[in-house]
Amino acid sequence: MKRYSAFAIAREAARYHTGWERAWRAPEPQKKYDVIIIGAGGHGLATAYHLGKNHGIKNVAIIEKGWLGGGNTGRNTTIIRSNYLQDPSAAIYEKSRSLYETMSQDLNYNVMFSPRGVMMLAQTQHEIRGYQRTAHANALQGVQTEFIGPQKVKELCPIISIDGPRYPVLGALWQARGGTARHDAVAWGYARACSDMGMDILQRTEVTAIRRDGGKVVGVTTTKGDIDCDKLGIVVAGHSGHLADMAGFRLPIESVPLQALVSEPIKPCMDVVIMANTVHGYMSQSDKGEMVIGGGTDGHNNYTQRGSFHHVEETVRALIETFPMLSRLKMLRQWGGIVDVTGDRSPILSKTPVDGIFINCGWGTGGFKAIPGSGWAMADLMANGRSPLTDAFGLERFREGRFIDESVAAGVAH
Amino acid sequence: MSEVQGLLRSDGFVAVRQLPLRGMITVKGDLSATALKNVATGLSGVDFPGPRECNCVGDNGIAWMAPDEILLMVTHATIPDAMAKVAATLQGQHYLAADVSDARTIFELEGAGVREVIAKLAPVDLAPDVFPPSAFRRTRLGQVPAAFWLKDNQTAELICFRSVTQYVFDILTHAARANTQVSYF
Amino acid sequence: MLILHCPYCGVDAEETELHAGGQAHLTRETVGSDDEAFEDYLFMRENPKGVHFERWRHASGCGKWFHAARCTTTLEVFGTYSAQTTAPPREICDAISGKRPGWSWKTFSARMFS
Amino acid sequence: MELENLQREDVLMSTRLAAGGRLLNRGKSVRFEFNGKHLRGFDGDTLASALLANDQMLMGRSFKYHRPRGLVASGAEEPNGLVNLGKGGRFEPNARVTTTELFDGLTATSQNHWPSLDFDVGVVNNYAARFLPAGFYYKTFIQPRAAWKHVFEPFIRQSAGLGKAPKDRDVDTYEHFYAFVDVLIVGGGIAGLQAAKTAGASGAKVLLIEQTGHWGGRAPVDGAVIDGKSADDWINNTLDLLDKMENVQVRSRLMGAGIYDHGYALAHERLTDHAPSDDMPRHRLWRIRAKQIITATGAIERPLSFAGNDIPGVMLASAVRDYVVNYGVSAGDRTVVVTNNDDAYRTAIALKGAGLDVPLILDARASGGGALAEEAAALGIRIANGKAIASVKGGKRVTGVQVCAQAGEGAVLEEIACDAIAMSGGWSPVVHLWSHCGGKLIWDDAHAHFRPDADRAPTGADGEPFVSVTGGADGAMSFSGALANADETARHVSKRIGRKAKKATPPNADDVEMAPLAPVWKMPQGAGIKLRSKMWLDYQNDVKVSDVQLAAQEGFESVEHTKRYTTLGMATDQGKLSNINGLAVLADSLNEEIPQVGTTTFRPPYTPISMGSIAGEATGERFQPLRRTPLHDWHAGNGAYWEPVGHWRRPYCFQRSGESVEDAVQREVKATRDSLGLLDASTLGKIIVKGPDAGKFLDMLYTNMMSTLKPGRCRYGLMCSENGFLMDDGVVARIDEDTWLCHTTTGGADHIHAHMEEWLQTEWWDWQVFTANVTEQYAQIAVVGPNARNLLEKLGGMDVSADALPFMAWADGQIGGFDVRAYRISFSGELSYEIAVPASQGRAFWDALLEAGAEWQVTPYGTEALHIMRAEKGFIMIGDETDGTVIPQDLGLDWALSKKKNDYLGKRAQQRSHMADPDRWKLVGLETLDGSVLPDGAYATADGTNANGQRNTQGRVTSTYHSPTLGRGIAMGLVLNGPDRIGEVIDFPKTDGSIVKAKIVNPVFYDPEGEKQNV
């Protein structure tokens, strides 16, 4: 694989860039792999990457129904933070955030990780207390956050209106080392690295059946024929229930649309990521200049990748209340993604009732920030049968009543 | 906007007026039972409404709220007697009657554009052939629950919860501002 | 932006007047049921790509809960009906089978309670 | 030599023609300002036509290379003409000049350049263009790690973006409107008008909407003759006819923005953009429910890809024609036309007709054109068939073209001086609205475009198609074709809604014979990489043919990959001009057919709509409902420091002048404990539960027994979710044999009522129970403190003595002449009554209490004093001690969990292993050794770290206050085995790392025997 660098670009420029090679191979499937990962989204590719990098397991296929990175990886609002309340969440999200810091170098692919800081606004007394609690928890979890006052909020984000009228900003939970990254690049960078390790990324290949020998998985049937494997990872946000059904087990999952929108691009005016949970909206400005805005989920199952417009209305009016300047911007584009929501709104990284099948799902609205950590942990789980980062996220927790509930800190799990 | 004796009022292309307290009793029970029908019509002096209808003359009326619920309207002062009458009549039956007069605010909207003022705020088809006078609708007005009916093609009465009186007045007034007619209906 | 017909008050209500209540026809498990049955009752959901039975409340209307049969991939609504049932009525099932040949309530419930 | 002359004349180009301009009112001159220059236009101009008329072709700079950008189009598809419009509270970035109607006093500045439009430093990117191909950022700026955030990213962000960020609060207002129709028709061209006519004739309710301020679309510009009349006449007749139809509404300046499920359509109306006004809404967002929707959105002309096709002066042929015919403006004096189809000849003919020079028509088709070509030739215009543009000469303005053979590799045959180029690569139907809700497309080889596939239309709630398409949007490329198609579509749609349109023959238009188009995706065919690197696909985002080819070469084979890798079609025009051309280049690079490659997804809105219109009326005071208690105004007038609780505002405390919030709270607590306090408790939920099965129902709802409660008595109850967690609490009063009144928390009122109804309607529907939420019927006031009884007795009317009204009893009666219901309950540990009066009496009763209570220095207190007093008593608070993960057992509330009942909501859940775990954290009191106040939300550390390196913990603070009563900090918290560890001291680190030591104590800090409340 030719390394990317300014020099490489200069070299290629001389010949009008006719010399660049494919970022990833387009192979035909082998008969058998040690590990098959279903789903070439960020989480699936990251899992494969870490299987190879951390555990030397490189005879791996990643099977993708459509195009790699074509699901929620490329449809989210790219927020990266780890200021979660509960220990298990903080552990995996902080692992993830730290991996983001070196991802461009690790992958030799610029994923544009921009640690510009993430701010969760406290606009009620209840939120203040919730975020102060989170700040205390984070301090013991090794997550660097602080609770800041309204003036600091205004300094960090001049376009915000801190004096209401309706919901004055009373403070914020501030994680200076949170930020954003270029979502597509994360998938592309991992894909290029996996391909370079000899892994096969099989795009436009749909899994139509999961083959078992009694209680153990032996392979999958795809639109390109049968492929055998020893271990199978299901990492298909939005379609997890469907795949689990094929494998013969059920999940505590519901799939709902989550909506997002962007404004037309404007010159830089906001260099932080803002989350306002009382009014429910979150926003950052992309490098292109668009205000990237995320909102809520619909309350009903829906696989159309089209949400209901009134959620967009709720989000936009809420953000205009806190950012009056938005009113005269225009909405350029709105879209929806399908997210898997679990009983406690925390993810599932777990063994399954079928021997050899592992599942990674249920990230709800918070999946992007977790990609590298989730891949790291999932690879650990698949290679070693358990991982300290995934122990708390097992399927059995619902039976035991041992939930990981993040909503308690007045924070929603975006 | 001005305040006359504490009652809100604004005049745009449609006038928005808060009306004085009206006696309102939520009655839940078997709407097909004669006793219930009789006490309701007896107290209000109007015919018992069919589904999605409201019959109302002045302060007295009956609105069909749900298959097992009506809103009985009487003059505010007569509430104690009305409550007693209902209790006496329906005694022994399974029913619920609650005085909700003070939990509600009632507005009157008056003007040729009354339909479109409501249509700016509620997801309801107010076309004359679809929503004639005496049609009654419980729905969402802006961000709060509300119910309304047309007394005639110029006049509507609208009920909301007391705590959001100011909000409902504000959005109605905004919708009724002069020069903002849609001229749709 | 869905529109559903409220079988109680007869209003065609739009989504903003309704409250979604999740999967319909769950059987309540309680004291005496084993952990698995109880877990199923609380958390395991059909979440189908296709025909789905769900609960809705006409929240800013007559306040009644009702059931809807809806396709989660096309959002086609096959019908709405009383919430006071433990299984979809025959005409609803027929309507669905008419539109989705090969479908039947049994296969649905079988998967649901397997 | 000739070229030099042209350079000099350059400044004289593009002026208003002496005659023409069907949309202009030449009688009315309009003043406006661009980049500080004071200019004039006419009423009827767009900002684009007015700027052009003032010789202002250069309008902005491109996104990436900051290349000079001029007008390309005349409508919504314009990618380049974007300006900062207006000032202050009416400032709008990225306003599209082609859809901005000129008005007197309009001010605009160009965007994305520094220091000036003519000299832009950012253009260095242009000289470096060869080093900045598609996706170059992914390949560089990788080392050193910190550089991206601090060096590269700021630079890229600065040069990206377009307009300036608005600074001031919007001074305009917005609103929504709901419309319900049988048939919505989007697009007011001749097809839309005809469809409205036919659908209207069926009696259906029809709404016809048009995004611009005028009707008829392209037909008048293209000289259509319909039923022997000029297009303009036919349009006006038709409008009159529609106006007479009661069941038809036509609206202009109303753009179909998006189509959503179940017939929901979004339309954006611009009421004052063309005439700013303070007393009208700027925009109105229509939410339309249509049984059927017809999109008659027409088609958009495609550019041709030749080297230098982005130089100002290169425009769509149709746009050049529009400016001449509609606005009497010439884009240039010498215009070379280049095309692969007949339509562009109309431009040459129109220009000639306007007395302008057309030195040459380059027709890429070896076989040339049809009737229109002959007409052009007859006018003496030179036509070169099979010829193409090798490259365009010029910098900030076209100065000439180099001609080559389309079939070749670009060898220059001759050079022609010109100052404008009118190009046409064919037409693409506007399929956006069709596609928003799932409509699929098919590839039409003859016209080389995608058009809607009628067999795969969007389907509605009934599973049947609800969107149809007609006219140019359906690929009908002739007038008569469009009209016939419109009539047929409208009939079909009418049938779908059970109506029938009267028989009538569709109008007939004279069509010229057209020669077939020849797809041309690259010009010339064999262009080498040098030329391909100068062929622009996306003008705004600077995406070239070579970029798309590079993406394909690197394996970005999905159209979505290519789009995201190159940013093709991601600009503010969302690829209206570039998508098909880019797709064709991609297909070519992959050796696939265009339909195999497919298109990207079309998402709403069709063109960008204002955020303000989306928020509608919900701004400022109307942003959200603010719920007010009957005493709200008194609070507001007496120093209330508000705390939002749900949509309510409750006084946190009442600040006196010069008093801090903290001092006020402490004062209120002391005054209440020492003498007499009043609390507005009106927000507490009050729900009547009545019926033969009400007791049985409440026994299921509450963890404790309610059926055994005696009439006249009250009982504190807990409610759990079916998942076992404590969700609400409150005092339940039994009113009579079959009636209970349940108090809930403030936040609980609505959702607990909904919770009750849910169980009654969906699980226990055979139980005879009715409920009613009467929360707002009453003003409820807590009269608290040693003098509470004295106050009520002073007002007189009912016996409130310990015997007549003992603790946890209630009674109806009169106090001070008010009809009241008095509850003898206490949440403060003091002698306390909660008195409910009808809401309309609330304020008067409150005033009476204040007046009579003066002798005991009666003190209204807020929520914080309430919290402190309940904490001093060790009472839990929902939302403080509970957070959705806490069960009653954690809070030592086992006494409230009935052992007699074999079932209640949450009981089974609480038997699960984790909830039955003896090691759950349990409620205790906490006292700092130094008397300080424990930090809110602090955790107690345990030894060591867990497997993930996180510090182990053994408890946390749930509420913490300074107690004025005890003069020290007190707190409640959940601690591992807490109740068994009374007296033990544990560590609570602050966020700064310093440790606060606290002793585990009994949570009841004040009057543990309860003597005070029980007097």
Side-chain angles (χ1 to χ4, degrees), chain B residues 5-90:
Chain B
Q5 310 124 354
L7 294 178
L8 299 165
R9 177 197 172 104
S10 69
D11 294 291
F13 72 90
V14 164
V16 179
R17 292 189 214 94
Q18 179 187 0
L19 300 182
L21 277 180
R22 179 176 294 176
M24 297 188 198
I25 303 172
T26 288
V27 183
K28 292 190 174 189
D30 174 3
L31 299 195
S32 63
T34 356
L36 189 151
K37 279 198 160 104
N38 291 345
V39 71
T41 52
L43 284 165
S44 62
V46 300
D47 293 344
F48 202 80
R52 302 184 305 282
E53 281 178 8
C54 173
N55 299 330
C56 188
V57 178
D59 275 351
N60 299 307
I62 309 173
W64 188 94
M65 304 289 279
D68 59 358
E69 177 184 354
I70 57 167
L71 185 68
L72 178 58
M73 291 179 273
V74 297
T75 49
H76 193 254
T78 65
I79 275 285
D81 311 349
M83 286 292 288
K85 193 116 187 286
V86 172
T89 318
L90 299 183

Side-chain angles (χ1 to χ4, degrees), chain D residues 415-449:
Chain D
E415 203 159 279
I416 303 286
C418 64
D419 55 7
I421 296 170
M423 62 181 166
S424 177
W427 291 79
S428 301
V430 174
V431 297
H432 301 66
L433 290 165
W434 167 270
S435 305
H436 285 165
C437 203
K440 299 289 185 289
L441 306 173
I442 47 174
W443 177 254
D444 179 326
D445 261 323
H447 294 104
H449 63 211

Side-chain angles (χ1 to χ4, degrees), chain D residues 157-218:
Chain D
R157 291 184 71 182
Q158 223 11 277
S159 61
L162 286 171
K164 298 202 191 78
K167 290 207 161 37
D168 301 348
R169 203 173 268 271
D170 195 339
V171 296
D172 281 314
T173 62
Y174 304 83
E175 66 182 25
H176 295 156
F177 186 73
Y178 288 91
F180 295 72
V181 297
D182 294 330
V183 182
L184 169 69
I185 300 169
V186 183
I190 57 172
L193 287 163
Q194 177 58 38
K197 201 165 126 189
T198 305
S202 77
K205 279 188 199 172
V206 176
L207 175 60
L208 170 65
I209 62 176
E210 160 60 36
Q211 62 182 337
T212 70
H214 48 268
W215 297 91
R218 297 210 56 78

Side-chain angles (χ1 to χ4, degrees), chain D residues 44 64 93 120 149 184 243 403 409 512 666 670 707 804 839 925:
Chain D
K64 187 174 171 188
D120 172 20
K149 170 70 181 124
L184 169 69
D243 188 48
V403 178
E409 296 177 0
V512 282
Q666 301 283 310
K670 289 189 73 55
S707 53

Side-chain angles (χ1 to χ4, degrees), chain A residues 17 105 267 287 313 334, chain D residues 112 130 142 153 260 287:
Chain A
H17 304 280
Q105 294 70 38
K267 291 296 177 188
D287 288 344
E313 288 175 358
Q334 68 162 112
Chain D
N112 208 40
R130 253 173 86 177
I142 294 171
E153 186 182 44
Y260 301 80
R287 295 118 138 207

Side-chain angles (χ1 to χ4, degrees), chain A residues 4-6 9-10 13-14 16-24 67-68 74-75 85 87 90-91 101-102 104-105 108-110 112-116 125-126 129 132-133 135-137 140-141 161 165-167 182-185 188 203-204 261 263-271 279 285-288 290 293 305-306 309 313 316-318 320-321 324-336 388-389 398-403 405 408, chain D residues 63 89-94 112 130-131 133 136-143 145 148-149 153 157-166 169-170 172 174 260-261 266 282 287 436-438 529-530 533 541 550 553-558 561 563-565 570 572 574 601 603-605 608-612 614-615 618 623-626 643 647 649 723 725 879-880 883 885 912-914 935-939 941 947-948 950-951 953 956 958 989 991:
Chain A
Y4 288 158
S5 70
I9 288 185
Y16 290 88
H17 304 280
T18 50
W20 291 111
E21 61 190 18
R22 293 181 63 96
W24 47 79
W67 298 95
L68 66 89
R75 296 173 190 279
L85 174 69
D87 285 353
E101 289 197 326
T102 57
S104 295
Q105 294 70 38
N108 175 235
Y109 202 91
N110 184 1
M112 304 180 202
F113 174 62
S114 171
R116 57 185 67 173
Q125 299 292 334
H126 186 254
R129 310 211 350 278
Q132 284 175 339
R133 177 181 167 190
H136 280 101
L140 300 174
Q141 294 156 341
S161 151
R166 188 59 197 276
Y167 289 109
R182 176 82 181 87
H183 54 16
D184 295 319
W188 298 341
Q203 298 186 83
R204 286 165 118 176
L261 62 129
S263 76
E264 293 184 312
I266 50 173
K267 291 296 177 188
C269 64
M270 188 172 109
D271 194 30
V279 292
Q285 186 173 22
S286 73
D287 288 344
K288 282 186 70 197
E290 300 154 330
I293 294 171
Q305 293 193 337
R306 299 187 300 263
F309 189 74
E313 288 175 358
V316 167
R317 72 178 176 232
I320 288 177
E321 172 68 12
M325 54 85 70
L326 276 181
S327 180
R328 292 195 82 90
L329 296 187
K330 302 191 231 42
M331 176 174 78
L332 176 62
R333 182 178 170 90
Q334 68 162 112
W335 66 92
L389 282 175
F398 297 95
R399 188 163 304 189
E400 298 166 356
R402 184 173 42 76
F403 304 106
D405 189 338
V408 308
Chain D
F63 203 94
R90 288 215 162 94
F91 172 84
E92 177 191 358
N94 304 323
N112 208 40
R130 253 173 86 177
F131 301 95
F136 76 96
Y137 356 68
Y138 305 120
K139 297 172 179 164
T140 181
F141 308 135
I142 294 171
Q143 302 288 357
R145 178 140 69 92
W148 174 254
K149 170 70 181 124
E153 186 182 44
R157 291 184 71 182
Q158 223 11 277
S159 61
L162 286 171
K164 298 202 191 78
R169 203 173 268 271
D170 195 339
D172 281 314
Y174 304 83
Y260 301 80
D261 293 286
L266 212 59
R282 178 184 175 216
R287 295 118 138 207
H436 285 165
C437 203
I529 181 68
K530 275 207 176 87
S533 323
N541 274 3
L550 175 60
Q553 169 191 333
E554 293 190 86
F556 294 85
E557 295 160 343
S558 144
H561 280 170
K563 168 186 148 193
R564 290 152 179 266
Y565 191 63
M570 294 174 82
T572 59
Q574 293 282 289
T601 321
R603 299 286 193 178
I609 61 175
S610 65
M611 299 280 188
I614 295 170
F623 162 57
Q624 267 183 5
L626 189 154
E643 167 178 20
H647 282 170
R649 286 247 183 114
N723 199 11
F725 298 116
D880 290 355
D883 62 5
T885 68
R912 291 173 298 185
S913 60
H914 183 65
D936 220 322
Y939 279 74
T941 48
N948 292 316
Q950 300 168 315
R951 182 66 190 268
T953 55
R956 64 179 179 93
T958 56
T991 46

